[in-house]
Amino acid sequence: MKAFFEVLEQLYRKVLLGATLENDSHDYIFYLNPAFSDQDCSTTTSSDCSNILDVHGKHQPSSVNLATPSVAPVCLQRHFQMNSTREIMLLQLTVIKVMMTRILSVETELHAKEKYRDIIKMLLKSSDIDSKLTCMFQNSDKLLSHMAAKCLALLLYFQLKEKITLSNSWISFCQKNLSEYTESDKVVHCLWMLTFVIKEIFKDTCSQKTEILKQFLTPFDTIFEVFYNSLFSQHFENHQDTSKLINSLICFLELLELLIASRIHLKLHFTCQRMLFLKPSCVFNVITWPIQAFVKRKFIIFIKKCLLCKVGEDLCRGSVPTFMAPDHPLDVDLLALADAVLQAVDLGFLRTLSVYGKPSCFGGDEVQPGCECVPGPDHVILRAASLLIIRSLEIKFQNGASANEMKVDLQRFMSELLTFLKPHLQPSLRSHNLCEWLSRVFIEQDDDMLEAAKTAMGIYLKLTRECEATESLTQEKEMWNHHTHENGYNPHCIFLFLLKNIGFDSTVLLDFLISSETCFLEYFVRYLKLLQKDWDNFFTICKYFDITESKDNVNICCCISSLVQDRSSNQTEPSPLAVLGNHRDAHAWVSWASEASSEPLNHAVMSEEAQATLQANNLSPQRTSQSLVDYETSDDSEEESTDQRLANSRLTSLHQEAMKKIQDTIGTSRDKKELILESQSRSLVPKESNTPFSVDCDIGPNNIVSKVGISYRTVKCFEELQGAIYRLQKKNLFPYNPTALLKLLKHIETIYNRSMTPL
């Protein structure tokens, strides 16, 4: 039998190299056909199969000549005896697996690939290998079982691609074991193989993926629903060995995600693809089980991906389209899932989440002796729970609701969410900066942060349209504006907090725009369109940011909330929201605020020079990161360095001498168009003055806030971004056509310059 093993070994080496096989295909079938009968199922071990060697020895073909190839052979480290039946079967399965991989690979030479395909087709027809492998993966030998399952999954996928009818024995085996949940390894094997085949179909580049998957899912459509009900109706406490249940949950969750992904991306319509949407409470029940935290985390992330329609994106070859065609049945199902999420929150879902636990790291969750374990919340859970709620609200509002209903729901659920988040955010999230919650929670995850920002803006736009249609009185609009801050979803605040977190660095925004891993382009375009229409409100909020930054970083929402409350209790005092309806009258609020304050305003504000220095240091960090622009010459690099130094010097100027220096430098390095733009914004760089500070933009030279105010920093960031995009576009380095985006940025710059020009 040593000769039999050596032939297999040489065959393995040739297939591994992708070499063409010269002998007749029938000769190879003899060596690849496992001698494994149905009666050996589940009880056979390697010691029970000694007769297999005798079977192989009787009809060994003499025509097979597998000389070792001249290339360097693959070293097979063997620590077993040559007469081992187990090793013979493992090597047979390995050769089949490698041959299947070679068939599916685009790198395999065409003639060799055709030979491999012919051998596999003959093996499927002549040896009933499906039944044998189905028996083998029930073997008590874990390695043999795993190899058999992998080979069978590859053969199933091959049959689907070649339009060969699937084995009835394997289909019956899966239907039987998935008809109800049992604590058996067979269930996990079935789920694993089903998942593997669907993944391979997803990764395929052929145009017939939908038809292939339809053929594969048809026999299992009903049985999946039966298993769904059986699995999620289990009582976790009643299981002595919970590991098998957890394995089944994890495997089925992966399969469920693929089924939903196939509905979204391949436009298939099976009942099994709607199980989650038809009975979402089953999945939510698992989160309430006394089960390990990582299982709950997986389920919450899964529901989040479903609501965002992000399931299966990592399996789709090429870019996933940002805008998908309308799918009314899917919209109905998403609404059902969103309603289930909100209902669960009403029933105390957030209180059941395990926010604290062992830290999850690449090396595991065990802390080594001598290493400090820093306690803290699980931010994955915080982010997922936050997105669950705001995305569910957006879906509900998009499907029809009155303005009053939306306001009530928004206040109730956002209050619940903020109450849940506050204990876990350090430093704590105080009542006067509620709009900051989003950037605080999602600071470590760019893609989720931008999804949350886009969702919050969608809620704001939907409510704004409804309120504009029903509310016309100034007082009602004031209260509506207050509502956006009180519940932490004002899009201007959210965007400004985002800019502050990245230090107003335009290169970060450029990175977001170029990347295909986030929805920043869609979010940014929608926000710029909103900014064009809502500039006065944006400018008002910027002034609140400027004022509160000068008062120990006390935030905008405090001013809005407290001042509206004071107005309702004392109608004789002017409302800041009413006064700031037009940003040119904003200075009236400062006088009112200074009178109402417990200490004089000039005591709460630093000296002009100290304040300007502090803000300039905060706003103009040393940028050590390299530019994203690929320069063709060193002159281009020098030009941008000059522009960057000019921008920084304008922001940090304190005196007339600095202003003169900027003007002189601009005259030598900027073209005429940039010189005109610079002269329009020159009023932002003030002269030295002893006049007490004001937020009125009309008092430019005496206004210390406007010197480095947040509105100026924002527009300056846009200006730098615009220049970087233009340079990339000029050199054909930008990944898409940015013309529309550049027009939006230019329009914002025009609006700003117009607003800063005295009447």
Side-chain angles (χ1 to χ4, degrees), residues 9-21:
E9 189 176 37
Q10 292 178 27
L11 177 60
Y12 166 73
R13 290 173 177 173
K14 296 198 74 171
V15 175
L16 188 64
L17 295 172
T20 303
L21 302 179

Side-chain angles (χ1 to χ4, degrees), residues 5 55 223 334 453 462 471 537 560 629:
F5 188 91
V55 173
I223 208 69
L334 288 175
K462 176 66 176 177
E471 298 177 357
N537 192 19
I560 294 177
V629 181

Side-chain angles (χ1 to χ4, degrees), residues 325-378:
D327 187 344
H328 180 67
L330 180 61
D331 293 339
V332 172
D333 285 347
L334 288 175
L335 177 60
L337 182 58
D339 285 337
V341 170
L342 297 177
Q343 184 179 2
V345 173
D346 263 339
L347 297 175
F349 166 72
L350 294 177
R351 292 188 290 274
T352 67
L353 297 181
S354 303
V355 178
Y356 289 101
K358 294 181 179 179
S360 297
C361 306
F362 285 111
D365 58 4
E366 296 296 332
V367 179
Q368 296 299 318
C371 297
E372 236 180 88
C373 178
V374 180
D378 185 345

